[in-house]
Amino acid sequence: VDATVHLYERLFTDPHPGADDTDPFDSLDPASRETVMAKVEPALAETPRGEVVQFERLGYFAADPVEPNTFHRTVGLRDEWANIQKRQKNQAEQQAKQQAKQQARNKTSPRSETRTDQ
């Protein structure tokens, strides 16, 4: 059975839209909604409006309240935004460690001293 499937990603590209006195609309992600045509099992053609079903390995989708054979992803099985935030945190921690090592090296490095024997 043919179906229309709407895939939603994060609405904003910035984790804190509107921070720093910027316009939150400047952070809108124009690619936050993708619509694809899909083939689904025939049983899904009888899905009651608003009912949530799981698409195997993809996530949970709600049947559209108006359009038949149209589904909206409500929850993905993996949260890429959480992964991005985790990577950014790890990168920040690595940078802090590198800066600390560099500062430690600067404190312990021998200074060039000019020695004169008289």
Side-chain angles (χ1 to χ4, degrees), residues 1-2 5 31 35 38 65-66 69-70 78 81 85 88 93 99 106 114:
V1 174
D2 291 329
V5 179
T35 301
V66 178
N69 294 336
T70 300
R78 64 182 185 138
W81 188 255
Q85 289 181 323
Q88 289 175 343
E93 289 173 354
Q99 288 174 350
N106 291 342
T114 306

Side-chain angles (χ1 to χ4, degrees), residues 63-90:
D64 191 271
V66 178
E67 293 294 321
N69 294 336
T70 300
F71 297 89
H72 301 270
R73 181 170 56 190
T74 56
V75 178
L77 291 184
R78 64 182 185 138
D79 187 352
E80 187 59 27
W81 188 255
N83 291 337
I84 290 170
Q85 289 181 323
K86 185 177 179 180
R87 279 194 300 269
Q88 289 175 343
K89 180 181 176 187
N90 289 342

